[in-house]
Protein backbone atom coordinates (compact mmCIF):
# COMPACT_ATOMS: atom_id res chain seq x y z
CA UNK A 1 0.00 0.00 0.00
CA UNK A 2 1.42 3.36 -1.05
CA UNK A 3 -0.27 6.48 0.29
CA UNK A 4 2.19 8.94 -1.24
CA UNK A 5 1.11 11.23 -4.05
CA UNK A 6 2.96 10.89 -7.33
CA UNK A 7 4.98 13.89 -8.54
CA UNK A 8 2.20 14.68 -11.00
CA UNK A 9 -0.48 14.48 -8.31
CA UNK A 10 1.52 16.76 -6.01
CA UNK A 11 1.87 19.23 -8.88
CA UNK A 12 -1.91 19.11 -9.37
CA UNK A 13 -2.52 19.82 -5.68
CA UNK A 14 -0.01 22.68 -5.60
CA UNK A 15 -1.31 24.24 -8.82
CA UNK A 16 -4.99 24.13 -7.92
CA UNK A 17 -4.40 25.30 -4.34
CA UNK A 18 -2.38 28.27 -5.59
CA UNK A 19 -5.12 29.06 -8.11
CA UNK A 20 -7.77 29.03 -5.40
CA UNK A 21 -5.72 31.19 -3.06
CA UNK A 22 -4.83 33.79 -5.71
CA UNK A 23 -7.89 33.81 -8.00
CA UNK A 24 -10.76 32.83 -5.68
CA UNK A 25 -10.03 33.99 -2.12
CA UNK A 26 -9.74 37.72 -2.99
CA UNK A 27 -13.31 37.82 -4.33
CA UNK A 28 -15.08 35.71 -1.71
CA UNK A 29 -16.11 38.47 0.70
CA UNK A 30 -17.74 40.53 -2.02
CA UNK A 31 -19.64 37.53 -3.38
CA UNK A 32 -20.74 36.65 0.14
CA UNK A 33 -21.94 40.23 0.69
CA UNK A 34 -23.80 40.62 -2.60
CA UNK A 35 -24.77 37.03 -3.38
CA UNK A 36 -23.70 37.72 -6.95
CA UNK A 37 -20.78 36.94 -9.26
CA UNK A 38 -20.27 39.52 -12.02
CA UNK A 39 -20.27 37.72 -15.40
CA UNK A 40 -16.92 39.25 -16.34
CA UNK A 41 -15.35 37.81 -13.17
CA UNK A 42 -16.69 34.35 -13.96
CA UNK A 43 -15.33 34.60 -17.49
CA UNK A 44 -11.94 35.69 -16.16
CA UNK A 45 -11.75 32.69 -13.80
CA UNK A 46 -12.67 30.35 -16.67
CA UNK A 47 -10.05 31.96 -18.91
CA UNK A 48 -7.30 31.55 -16.31
CA UNK A 49 -8.39 27.95 -15.71
CA UNK A 50 -7.91 27.29 -19.42
CA UNK A 51 -4.49 28.94 -19.31
CA UNK A 52 -3.22 26.46 -16.71
CA UNK A 53 -4.72 23.55 -18.66
CA UNK A 54 -7.35 22.45 -16.16
CA UNK A 55 -10.61 23.31 -17.90
CA UNK A 56 -12.45 20.05 -18.55
CA UNK A 57 -9.70 18.15 -16.75
CA UNK A 58 -12.17 15.40 -15.82
CA UNK A 59 -12.52 14.41 -19.50
CA UNK A 60 -10.23 12.14 -21.54
CA UNK A 61 -7.58 13.60 -23.81
CA UNK A 62 -9.37 12.26 -26.89
CA UNK A 63 -12.07 14.91 -26.46
CA UNK A 64 -9.75 17.71 -25.34
CA UNK A 65 -9.63 17.12 -21.59
CA UNK A 66 -6.60 16.56 -19.39
CA UNK A 67 -7.42 12.87 -18.95
CA UNK A 68 -7.07 12.84 -15.17
CA UNK A 69 -7.87 9.58 -13.43
CA UNK A 70 -10.46 9.50 -10.64
CA UNK A 71 -7.91 9.89 -7.87
CA UNK A 72 -6.20 12.89 -9.46
CA UNK A 73 -9.51 14.56 -10.24
CA UNK A 74 -10.65 13.99 -6.66
CA UNK A 75 -7.53 15.86 -5.54
CA UNK A 76 -8.56 18.74 -7.84
CA UNK A 77 -12.03 18.83 -6.27
CA UNK A 78 -10.56 18.67 -2.77
CA UNK A 79 -8.48 21.78 -3.38
CA UNK A 80 -11.36 23.60 -5.07
CA UNK A 81 -13.40 22.84 -1.96
CA UNK A 82 -11.32 25.42 -0.10
CA UNK A 83 -12.90 28.21 -2.14
CA UNK A 84 -16.36 29.68 -2.71
CA UNK A 85 -18.47 27.45 -4.95
CA UNK A 86 -19.98 30.53 -6.56
CA UNK A 87 -16.52 31.23 -7.97
CA UNK A 88 -14.99 27.76 -8.39
CA UNK A 89 -17.93 26.68 -10.58
CA UNK A 90 -16.15 28.59 -13.36
CA UNK A 91 -13.14 26.26 -12.94
CA UNK A 92 -14.88 24.19 -15.60
CA UNK A 93 -15.73 20.56 -14.89
CA UNK A 94 -18.56 19.65 -17.29
CA UNK A 95 -20.81 16.74 -16.38
CA UNK A 96 -19.25 13.38 -17.23
CA UNK A 97 -22.63 12.30 -18.56
CA UNK A 98 -21.75 14.11 -21.78
CA UNK A 99 -19.43 11.25 -22.70
CA UNK A 100 -22.66 9.48 -23.67
CA UNK A 101 -23.21 11.91 -26.55
CA UNK A 102 -23.52 10.50 -30.05
CA UNK A 103 -21.41 11.87 -32.92
CA UNK A 104 -23.71 14.80 -33.69
CA UNK A 105 -24.20 15.68 -30.03
CA UNK A 106 -20.46 15.57 -29.38
CA UNK A 107 -19.95 18.41 -31.84
CA UNK A 108 -22.83 20.47 -30.47
CA UNK A 109 -22.49 19.83 -26.73
CA UNK A 110 -19.58 17.69 -25.54
CA UNK A 111 -16.65 19.34 -27.31
CA UNK A 112 -17.82 22.94 -26.71
CA UNK A 113 -18.35 22.10 -23.03
CA UNK A 114 -14.84 20.67 -22.67
CA UNK A 115 -13.35 23.69 -24.47
CA UNK A 116 -15.30 26.04 -22.22
CA UNK A 117 -17.32 27.53 -25.07
CA UNK A 118 -20.54 26.32 -23.43
CA UNK A 119 -21.56 25.68 -19.82
CA UNK A 120 -23.87 22.86 -18.86
CA UNK A 121 -26.16 22.24 -15.89
CA UNK A 122 -27.90 19.06 -14.80
CA UNK A 123 -31.55 18.81 -13.81
CA UNK A 124 -33.18 15.93 -11.98
CA UNK A 125 -34.80 17.21 -8.77
CA UNK A 126 -38.42 18.36 -8.67
CA UNK A 127 -40.62 19.88 -5.94
CA UNK A 128 -42.19 16.45 -5.30
CA UNK A 129 -39.26 14.27 -6.38
CA UNK A 130 -36.03 14.63 -4.43
CA UNK A 131 -34.70 11.39 -3.03
CA UNK A 132 -37.53 9.54 -4.82
CA UNK A 133 -36.26 10.33 -8.30
CA UNK A 134 -38.66 7.93 -10.02
CA UNK A 135 -41.50 9.92 -8.55
CA UNK A 136 -40.81 12.80 -10.93
CA UNK A 137 -43.81 14.41 -12.61
CA UNK A 138 -42.04 16.31 -15.37
CA UNK A 139 -43.29 14.24 -18.33
CA UNK A 140 -42.59 13.97 -22.06
CA UNK A 141 -45.14 12.42 -24.43
CA UNK A 142 -44.26 11.20 -27.89
CA UNK A 143 -45.60 13.22 -30.81
CA UNK A 144 -44.30 11.81 -34.08
CA UNK A 145 -40.51 12.13 -33.98
CA UNK A 146 -40.72 14.76 -31.26
CA UNK A 147 -41.45 14.84 -27.53
CA UNK A 148 -43.72 17.36 -25.83
CA UNK A 149 -42.48 18.19 -22.32
CA UNK A 150 -44.45 19.67 -19.44
CA UNK A 151 -43.42 20.09 -15.83
CA UNK A 152 -41.03 21.76 -13.42
CA UNK A 153 -37.55 21.15 -12.03
CA UNK A 154 -36.07 23.01 -9.08
CA UNK A 155 -32.86 23.29 -7.04
CA UNK A 156 -30.95 23.16 -10.33
CA UNK A 157 -27.42 24.31 -9.57
CA UNK A 158 -25.83 27.07 -11.69
CA UNK A 159 -28.46 26.81 -14.46
CA UNK A 160 -28.30 30.61 -14.49
CA UNK A 161 -24.97 30.44 -16.35
CA UNK A 162 -25.79 27.35 -18.45
CA UNK A 163 -26.03 27.37 -22.22
CA UNK A 164 -27.79 24.01 -22.14
CA UNK A 165 -29.22 21.71 -19.49
CA UNK A 166 -29.04 17.93 -19.18
CA UNK A 167 -32.58 17.09 -18.04
CA UNK A 168 -34.05 13.82 -16.78
CA UNK A 169 -37.71 13.47 -17.72
CA UNK A 170 -40.32 10.74 -17.28
CA UNK A 171 -41.29 9.21 -20.62
CA UNK A 172 -43.37 6.24 -19.53
CA UNK A 173 -44.21 3.88 -16.72
CA UNK A 174 -43.50 0.26 -15.91
CA UNK A 175 -44.83 -2.24 -13.38
CA UNK A 176 -42.36 -3.42 -10.74
CA UNK A 177 -42.69 -5.62 -7.64
CA UNK A 178 -42.93 -2.38 -5.66
CA UNK A 179 -45.61 -0.86 -7.87
CA UNK A 180 -45.57 1.39 -10.94
CA UNK A 181 -42.32 3.24 -11.58
CA UNK A 182 -41.52 5.96 -14.07
CA UNK A 183 -39.30 5.28 -17.06
CA UNK A 184 -36.75 8.07 -17.32
CA UNK A 185 -35.10 9.55 -20.43
CA UNK A 186 -32.26 12.05 -20.54
CA UNK A 187 -32.62 15.09 -22.84
CA UNK A 188 -30.25 17.89 -23.88
CA UNK A 189 -32.17 21.16 -23.80
CA UNK A 190 -30.78 24.45 -25.12
CA UNK A 191 -31.39 27.74 -23.36
CA UNK A 192 -33.94 29.65 -25.41
CA UNK A 193 -35.84 26.58 -26.64
CA UNK A 194 -39.51 27.61 -27.01
CA UNK A 195 -41.54 26.48 -24.01
CA UNK A 196 -38.43 26.14 -21.81
CA UNK A 197 -37.64 28.78 -19.19
CA UNK A 198 -34.84 29.12 -16.63
CA UNK A 199 -35.90 31.24 -13.65
CA UNK A 200 -34.17 32.34 -10.47
CA UNK A 201 -34.64 29.87 -7.64
CA UNK A 202 -34.62 30.31 -3.88
CA UNK A 203 -32.35 32.33 -1.63
CA UNK A 204 -30.15 29.93 0.31
CA UNK A 205 -28.07 30.39 3.45
CA UNK A 206 -25.49 28.01 1.95
CA UNK A 207 -23.06 28.90 -0.84
CA UNK A 208 -24.26 32.44 -1.49
CA UNK A 209 -23.75 33.46 -5.08
CA UNK A 210 -23.94 29.84 -6.23
CA UNK A 211 -27.40 29.98 -7.73
CA UNK A 212 -30.10 27.36 -7.78
CA UNK A 213 -32.76 27.74 -10.45
CA UNK A 214 -36.27 26.67 -11.38
CA UNK A 215 -36.84 25.18 -14.83
CA UNK A 216 -40.29 25.14 -16.39
CA UNK A 217 -41.49 23.26 -19.46
CA UNK A 218 -44.74 24.38 -21.08
CA UNK A 219 -45.49 22.25 -24.15
CA UNK A 220 -41.78 22.36 -24.94
CA UNK A 221 -41.15 20.42 -28.14
CA UNK A 222 -37.88 18.47 -28.32
CA UNK A 223 -36.79 16.35 -31.29
CA UNK A 224 -35.61 12.81 -30.62
CA UNK A 225 -32.13 13.94 -31.63
CA UNK A 226 -31.94 15.70 -28.26
CA UNK A 227 -32.10 12.42 -26.34
CA UNK A 228 -28.82 11.53 -24.61
CA UNK A 229 -28.49 7.76 -24.63
CA UNK A 230 -31.60 5.67 -25.21
CA UNK A 231 -35.29 6.26 -24.60
CA UNK A 232 -36.36 5.08 -21.12
CA UNK A 233 -32.71 4.39 -20.22
CA UNK A 234 -31.84 7.68 -18.58
CA UNK A 235 -30.52 6.07 -15.42
CA UNK A 236 -27.98 4.12 -17.45
CA UNK A 237 -26.22 7.37 -18.36
CA UNK A 238 -26.80 8.80 -14.87
CA UNK A 239 -24.91 6.14 -12.91
CA UNK A 240 -21.41 7.46 -13.60
CA UNK A 241 -22.56 10.98 -12.84
CA UNK A 242 -24.00 9.92 -9.48
CA UNK A 243 -20.65 8.34 -8.61
CA UNK A 244 -18.74 11.46 -9.62
CA UNK A 245 -20.94 13.99 -7.86
CA UNK A 246 -21.06 12.13 -4.55
CA UNK A 247 -17.28 11.80 -4.63
CA UNK A 248 -16.97 15.50 -5.47
CA UNK A 249 -19.11 16.48 -2.47
CA UNK A 250 -16.94 14.32 -0.20
CA UNK A 251 -13.72 15.79 -1.60
CA UNK A 252 -14.85 19.42 -1.39
CA UNK A 253 -16.02 18.83 2.17
CA UNK A 254 -12.51 17.64 3.09
CA UNK A 255 -10.92 20.71 1.47
CA UNK A 256 -13.26 23.11 3.23
CA UNK A 257 -12.74 21.36 6.56
CA UNK A 258 -8.96 21.70 6.24
CA UNK A 259 -9.31 25.42 5.60
CA UNK A 260 -11.53 25.83 8.68
CA UNK A 261 -9.07 23.75 10.71
CA UNK A 262 -6.15 25.93 9.62
CA UNK A 263 -7.96 28.97 11.01
CA UNK A 264 -8.69 27.19 14.29
CA UNK A 265 -5.13 25.88 14.69
CA UNK A 266 -3.53 29.28 14.11
CA UNK A 267 -5.92 30.98 16.49
CA UNK A 268 -5.38 28.37 19.20
CA UNK A 269 -1.63 28.97 19.01
CA UNK A 270 -1.86 32.77 18.96
CA UNK A 271 -4.81 33.70 21.17
CA UNK A 272 -3.87 34.08 24.81
CA UNK A 273 -6.10 33.87 27.86
CA UNK A 274 -4.97 33.65 31.48
CA UNK A 275 -1.40 34.21 30.37
CA UNK A 276 -1.02 31.36 27.89
CA UNK A 277 -2.19 30.31 24.38
CA UNK A 278 -5.66 28.82 24.51
CA UNK A 279 -4.27 25.79 22.64
CA UNK A 280 -2.36 24.88 25.79
CA UNK A 281 -5.68 24.01 27.43
CA UNK A 282 -6.99 20.50 26.87
CA UNK A 283 -10.45 21.92 26.26
CA UNK A 284 -9.07 23.38 23.03
CA UNK A 285 -6.16 21.10 22.19
CA UNK A 286 -8.33 17.98 22.33
CA UNK A 287 -10.80 19.62 19.94
CA UNK A 288 -7.94 20.14 17.48
CA UNK A 289 -6.86 16.52 17.89
CA UNK A 290 -10.37 15.25 17.14
CA UNK A 291 -10.81 17.64 14.22
CA UNK A 292 -7.63 16.63 12.39
CA UNK A 293 -8.29 12.94 13.04
CA UNK A 294 -11.72 13.20 11.45
CA UNK A 295 -10.42 15.26 8.52
CA UNK A 296 -7.66 12.75 7.78
CA UNK A 297 -10.11 9.85 8.06
CA UNK A 298 -12.52 11.51 5.60
CA UNK A 299 -9.64 12.32 3.24
CA UNK A 300 -8.38 8.75 3.17
CA UNK A 301 -11.90 7.35 2.79
CA UNK A 302 -12.55 9.65 -0.16
CA UNK A 303 -9.26 8.95 -1.94
CA UNK A 304 -9.67 5.23 -1.33
CA UNK A 305 -13.07 5.30 -3.03
CA UNK A 306 -11.59 7.18 -6.00
CA UNK A 307 -8.74 4.65 -6.19
CA UNK A 308 -11.28 1.81 -6.37
CA UNK A 309 -12.87 3.46 -9.39
CA UNK A 310 -9.46 3.70 -11.03
CA UNK A 311 -8.90 -0.02 -10.42
CA UNK A 312 -12.28 -0.91 -11.92
CA UNK A 313 -13.47 -2.21 -8.55
CA UNK A 314 -17.01 -1.86 -7.16
CA UNK A 315 -17.17 1.42 -5.27
CA UNK A 316 -20.84 2.21 -4.67
CA UNK A 317 -20.70 1.54 -0.94
CA UNK A 318 -17.29 3.16 -0.51
CA UNK A 319 -18.38 6.35 -2.29
CA UNK A 320 -21.55 6.52 -0.19
CA UNK A 321 -19.46 6.04 2.95
CA UNK A 322 -17.10 8.82 1.91
CA UNK A 323 -19.97 11.16 1.13
CA UNK A 324 -21.87 10.65 4.38
CA UNK A 325 -18.78 10.71 6.59
CA UNK A 326 -17.03 13.68 4.97
CA UNK A 327 -20.14 15.87 4.93
CA UNK A 328 -21.00 15.13 8.54
CA UNK A 329 -17.35 15.60 9.51
CA UNK A 330 -17.42 19.05 7.88
CA UNK A 331 -20.37 20.07 10.03
CA UNK A 332 -18.56 19.02 13.20
CA UNK A 333 -15.25 20.64 12.25
CA UNK A 334 -16.75 24.00 11.27
CA UNK A 335 -18.79 24.03 14.46
CA UNK A 336 -15.73 23.31 16.61
CA UNK A 337 -13.68 25.93 14.76
CA UNK A 338 -16.28 28.53 15.71
CA UNK A 339 -16.28 27.28 19.29
CA UNK A 340 -12.50 27.74 19.50
CA UNK A 341 -12.83 31.32 18.23
CA UNK A 342 -15.75 32.07 20.53
CA UNK A 343 -17.91 35.03 19.57
CA UNK A 344 -15.49 36.21 16.87
CA UNK A 345 -16.13 32.98 14.99
CA UNK A 346 -19.61 34.20 14.13
CA UNK A 347 -18.56 37.62 12.88
CA UNK A 348 -18.39 38.52 9.20
CA UNK A 349 -14.75 39.51 9.64
CA UNK A 350 -13.91 35.81 9.37
CA UNK A 351 -15.14 33.19 6.87
CA UNK A 352 -15.96 30.61 9.59
CA UNK A 353 -19.65 31.45 9.79
CA UNK A 354 -19.81 31.05 6.02
CA UNK A 355 -18.10 27.65 6.21
CA UNK A 356 -20.56 26.65 8.91
CA UNK A 357 -23.60 27.69 6.84
CA UNK A 358 -22.22 26.20 3.65
CA UNK A 359 -21.62 22.88 5.40
CA UNK A 360 -25.32 22.34 6.06
CA UNK A 361 -26.36 21.67 2.48
CA UNK A 362 -23.65 19.06 1.87
CA UNK A 363 -25.65 16.47 3.83
CA UNK A 364 -28.65 17.05 1.56
CA UNK A 365 -27.73 17.50 -2.07
CA UNK A 366 -26.41 14.76 -4.36
CA UNK A 367 -28.07 12.21 -2.11
CA UNK A 368 -29.00 12.89 1.52
CA UNK A 369 -27.14 11.26 4.39
CA UNK A 370 -30.14 8.98 4.79
CA UNK A 371 -29.91 7.85 1.16
CA UNK A 372 -26.17 7.19 1.57
CA UNK A 373 -26.85 5.04 4.63
CA UNK A 374 -29.51 3.19 2.63
CA UNK A 375 -26.96 2.48 -0.12
CA UNK A 376 -24.35 1.32 2.40
CA UNK A 377 -26.68 -0.97 4.32
CA UNK A 378 -28.19 -2.38 1.12
CA UNK A 379 -24.74 -3.25 -0.22
CA UNK A 380 -23.96 -5.02 3.06
CA UNK A 381 -27.20 -6.97 3.36
CA UNK A 382 -27.99 -7.97 -0.22
CA UNK A 383 -25.21 -10.58 -0.47
CA UNK A 384 -26.71 -12.21 2.62
CA UNK A 385 -30.16 -12.35 1.07
CA UNK A 386 -31.62 -9.77 3.42
Amino acid sequence: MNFALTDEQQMIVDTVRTFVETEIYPHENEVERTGFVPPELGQEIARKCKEIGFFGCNFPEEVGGAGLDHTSFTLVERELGRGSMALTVFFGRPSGILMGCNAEQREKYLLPAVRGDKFDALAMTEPDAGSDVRGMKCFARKDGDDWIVNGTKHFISHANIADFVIVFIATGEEDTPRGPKKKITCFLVDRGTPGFEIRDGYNSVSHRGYKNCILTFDDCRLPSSQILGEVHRGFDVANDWLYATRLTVAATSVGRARRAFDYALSYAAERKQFGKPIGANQGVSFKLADMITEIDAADLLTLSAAWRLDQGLPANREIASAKVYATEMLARVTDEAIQIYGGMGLMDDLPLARFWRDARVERIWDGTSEIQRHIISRELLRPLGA
Side-chain angles (χ1 to χ4, degrees), residues 29-74:
N29 289 342
E30 185 65 12
V31 170
E32 179 70 6
R33 185 183 68 82
T34 63
F36 175 73
V37 178
E40 58 273 14
L41 175 57
Q43 293 165 8
E44 181 72 1
I45 292 170
R47 183 185 66 78
K48 290 181 177 178
C49 176
K50 294 173 190 175
E51 284 181 355
I52 63 172
F54 274 86
F55 204 99
C57 62
N58 54 321
F59 278 77
E61 293 178 354
E62 66 193 60
V63 296
L68 297 185
D69 59 23
H70 291 285
T71 303
S72 298
F73 182 61
T74 299

Side-chain angles (χ1 to χ4, degrees), residues 182-293:
K182 301 288 177 60
K183 295 179 179 179
I184 308 298
T185 302
C186 183
F187 289 85
L188 297 163
V189 187
D190 293 306
R191 177 185 288 274
T193 299
F196 173 54
E197 184 181 4
I198 301 174
R199 305 201 319 262
D200 289 342
Y202 316 96
N203 290 326
S204 174
V205 301
S206 297
H207 300 297
R208 288 177 179 166
Y210 183 76
K211 301 296 186 180
N212 69 83
C213 298
I214 297 170
L215 313 184
T216 58
F217 296 86
D218 184 9
D219 285 337
C220 177
R221 181 177 292 271
L222 299 174
S224 294
S225 60
Q226 295 302 108
I227 292 175
L228 179 59
E230 299 179 25
V231 176
H232 305 324
R233 303 292 294 273
F235 282 126
D236 288 353
V237 296
N239 285 336
D240 287 343
W241 166 73
L242 291 171
Y243 277 148
T245 57
R246 294 202 305 264
L247 204 52
T248 287
V249 174
T252 55
S253 294
V254 171
R256 200 165 300 121
R258 287 203 186 278
R259 187 176 174 192
F261 176 80
D262 289 344
Y263 272 92
L265 180 62
S266 295
Y267 190 74
E270 296 168 1
R271 170 72 165 165
K272 290 185 178 180
Q273 291 286 277
F274 306 106
K276 62 181 180 180
I278 61 173
N281 300 302
Q282 284 187 352
V284 173
S285 64
F286 281 16
K287 290 183 187 299
L288 295 171
D290 289 341
M291 290 161 73
I292 196 62
T293 299

Side-chain angles (χ1 to χ4, degrees), residues 298-324:
D299 202 1
L300 291 171
L301 194 59
T302 301
L303 292 174
S304 174
W307 176 85
R308 289 184 67 86
L309 288 179
D310 286 329
Q311 305 308 308
L313 298 171
N316 199 25
R317 175 177 67 81
E318 288 79 5
I319 292 173
S321 294
K323 203 271 185 182
V324 71

Side-chain angles (χ1 to χ4, degrees), residues 122-166:
L122 197 142
M124 189 176 289
T125 303
E126 297 182 7
D128 295 317
S131 296
D132 180 18
V133 176
R134 284 188 181 268
M136 66 176 59
K137 296 178 181 177
C138 188
F139 194 86
R141 63 176 176 83
K142 195 82 162 63
D143 183 34
D145 289 332
D146 296 339
W147 297 81
I148 309 299
V149 185
N150 285 281
T152 301
K153 299 286 183 180
H154 78 162
F155 293 156
I156 309 308
S157 296
H158 62 79
N160 59 304
I161 63 171
D163 299 286
F164 67 95
V165 184
I166 305 162

